[in-house]
Amino acid sequence: MIHFDRTNKRFHLHAHESSYVLQIVQGYPLHLYWGRKLSALRGSAGPLFVQRSFAPYADPKHPEFSLATLPLEYPAYGNGDYRHPAYQVQLENGSTVSDLRYAGHRIYQGKKKLSGLPAAYAEDNQEAQSLDILLKDDIDGLQATLTYTVFRDFNTITRSVRFTNGGTAPIRLLRGLSASVDFRDGRFDLLSFYGSHNNERNISRHPLSKEMQVIESSRGASSPQHDPFFALLRKRADEDHGDVFGFSLVYSGNFSAQIETDPYRTVRASIGINPFDFSWKLEPGESFQTPEVVMVYSDRGLGGMSRTYNRFYRTHLARGQYRDQERPVLINNWEATYFKLNEKKLLAIAAEAQKLGIELFVLDDGWFGRRDNDKSSLGDWTVDRRKLPHGLGWLSDRIHDLGLKFGLWFEPEMVSPDSDLYRAHPDWCLHVPDRPRTLSRNQLVLDLSRADVRNYLVQSLSSVLRAANINYVKWDMNRHMTEIGSERLPADRQRETAHRYMLGLYELIETLTARFPDILFESCSSGGGRFDPGMLYYMPQTWTSDNTDAVCRLKIQYGTSMLYPAIAMGAHVSAVPNHQIGRVISLDMRGHVAMSGNFGYELDLTKLTDDEKKTVGKQIAFYKSIRPLIQFGDFYRIESPFEGNTAAWCFVSSDKSEAVGFFFEILADPARPLLTFHFKGLDPDATYENAATGDAIGGDELMYGGLTVPAGRGDFRSAIWRFRKKQGKRQDDR
């Protein structure tokens, strides 16, 4: 999968159906090609040495060799390249110039783990091959190892960098991005996500501008405002056609993605830890590991990119026993009770859930300390006996007696000023001396860079998880960082705090998930505020958004599907009027939207009418029948809710033997056009049977001719079709 041409010092990385080529020239790794798979690259598109006006050069005999114009694979600062660098260091003498040159390489089977960080993995050494390129600066002793891994069955390349101080004096890393790619031209559109709480992962697509474009977070989390991802699309690329280059950072903290067009219309795309308010001191012999970037190439448009990311993240990033298990249908009590919970009410909801076929009961916020609102008790992980006089163990046993599994909500990373923990340890939160401590949602952020704080959380959470039969944990995080400082770090390391927090968080979660491997962990951050690959490595699903309105969820789940598989997306049916925006939507449409992810309910089941309970029971039974297809099948986007009054998508099994299609019409139209639903991803030569009517229809007809969407009255309507492939040879028209 990786070939090295010793004569030309050229590396050719062969992924499943794509190639990535770089070459060492005068000690610098130069980027030559990334795209459709090539048998070889023999020089037809080699590096161009062009003398540009006023471009600096180090060798007077070769003014055409200028770092300002070459496609550098990992560019430095200060040596003549005026574009933004991938890394920057500060030496003991105050200078910020370095010059990393090729010093060797190693090609090996499989893929190494990253120290302290989440990363993709290979299940056996034969499905992946890796390349380490060692770069050295002979003056200051800095070393950087560029690591590339290609996967046999995916159009996927992962990249990361490990810096080592091989000198005798401290070096301060000011900037250390994970990957940088220089493209020969700028004929791209940029696609990224933007949003806010309750409005995550809206899609932005626009042509590259003539200046720097930055997608970033400096909030201490990947954030709902931007996702650590972007894609460059060729101008005519769409959902199903054209070249797409995706960059996704496996990290949950501050990040920056930069796309820079230079005066000669070449493009530099880079991504990694946000250099804003960041530095890392490397003593002699110390190393720093950057997070990993997962780069995906698709010549089948955004859909091809998405299905690669979906499958790759489901099978080579998510881990644990639940990775390949069907996820349970759940009921969460939050919107039913909020903080006003008690044993009688919870058991009444659970009893109704059992009758309807629900499999998991989740107890949300309000069960601990004296948590009657969001102003107290975070950090005090002891049961509130006023609300649960018999304790969690008793409640869990009663839930299990009903035939349901039992889940519990935590927000471990936070502390309330009104808590026993804060009164005992006011220094345990992130803070800066002599500055006020800014509150958000009446809470502060615990300093997870500290081992004593992490040890407390391991002990207190483990005590709760051992005291009851708990099958599921919802791990929430409801505020971003301010006053980012740590009492335990010296002054010259304070700008390491945010990243040390992330390393501490990853260590904490790794410890707990390893200690309790039978618990299904779900990540949450006020909904989708930290829905990123880093968290998916530890927790195989994420609560997609606190906004449960079905119309809003069309966009949120559509955008999320660009990267993440349906099995990772928590999606619940809630009450109407919707608690977030007040909209009233049919139970059918609410169910169909939520069925397109990891299905559950978040409402008071005891208040449903008999007819509503019948509908819910049918929804659950139907979802269970299609659950393997939704959670493990391939997802195809058909109509975008960002572009009109309708949305549509389908799920197709990997062997194309089964498919289910969803169509959504948002508002009634007095001059409604004839609407047609076209499946994607079917076998065009096969015959499929409609599970509801028994009608036999060719796969080609379902994709190219389509199905007429039933007409009706009223807003917020949906339709669903399920087809199974028929055995035997198809009888075509004669």
Side-chain angles (χ1 to χ4, degrees), residues 11 24 101-106 131-136 144-146:
F11 299 93
I24 307 299
R101 302 282 187 109
Y102 173 78
H105 73 273
R106 184 167 74 97
L131 165 67
D132 287 347
I133 298 178
L134 177 62
L135 307 177
K136 290 184 178 181
T145 302
L146 313 184

Side-chain angles (χ1 to χ4, degrees), residues 255-303:
F255 76 92
S256 180
Q258 302 178 340
I259 303 91
E260 179 180 10
T261 304
D262 77 0
Y264 306 105
R265 293 180 289 280
T266 64
V267 168
R268 172 167 292 171
S270 57
I271 190 169
I273 292 175
N274 197 333
F276 174 77
D277 201 40
F278 166 84
S279 70
W280 195 274
K281 187 178 181 181
L282 289 173
E283 296 287 357
E286 289 185 341
S287 295
F288 178 86
Q289 175 65 57
T290 73
E292 183 170 86
V293 178
V294 178
M295 297 165 41
V296 166
Y297 166 74
S298 167
D299 63 357
R300 298 177 179 89
L302 284 167

Side-chain angles (χ1 to χ4, degrees), residues 98-129:
S98 62
D99 188 18
L100 289 172
R101 302 282 187 109
Y102 173 78
H105 73 273
R106 184 167 74 97
I107 297 172
Y108 52 96
Q109 288 299 122
K111 185 178 188 294
K112 297 181 297 187
K113 288 186 176 181
L114 297 190
S115 176
L117 286 167
Y121 57 86
E123 291 195 293
D124 68 73
N125 285 342
Q126 299 310 307
E127 66 177 353
Q129 196 171 37

Side-chain angles (χ1 to χ4, degrees), residues 30-31 75 96 123 136 164 259 367 394 456 573 664:
L30 303 186
H31 177 76
T96 56
E123 291 195 293
K136 290 184 178 181
T164 300
I259 303 91
W367 59 267
W394 180 89
Y456 164 78
V573 176
F664 306 95

Side-chain angles (χ1 to χ4, degrees), residues 106-174:
R106 184 167 74 97
I107 297 172
Y108 52 96
Q109 288 299 122
K111 185 178 188 294
K112 297 181 297 187
K113 288 186 176 181
L114 297 190
S115 176
L117 286 167
Y121 57 86
E123 291 195 293
D124 68 73
N125 285 342
Q126 299 310 307
E127 66 177 353
Q129 196 171 37
S130 298
L131 165 67
D132 287 347
I133 298 178
L134 177 62
L135 307 177
K136 290 184 178 181
D137 186 326
D138 291 334
I139 294 177
D140 59 34
L142 179 67
Q143 301 175 13
T145 302
L146 313 184
T147 296
Y148 303 73
T149 298
V150 292
F151 287 80
R152 179 189 62 205
D153 301 325
F154 295 89
N155 290 321
T156 301
I157 296 172
T158 64
R159 288 184 60 179
S160 65
V161 182
R162 186 172 182 85
F163 292 94
T164 300
N165 183 354
T168 59
I171 295 176
R172 187 171 299 279
L173 183 65
L174 304 179

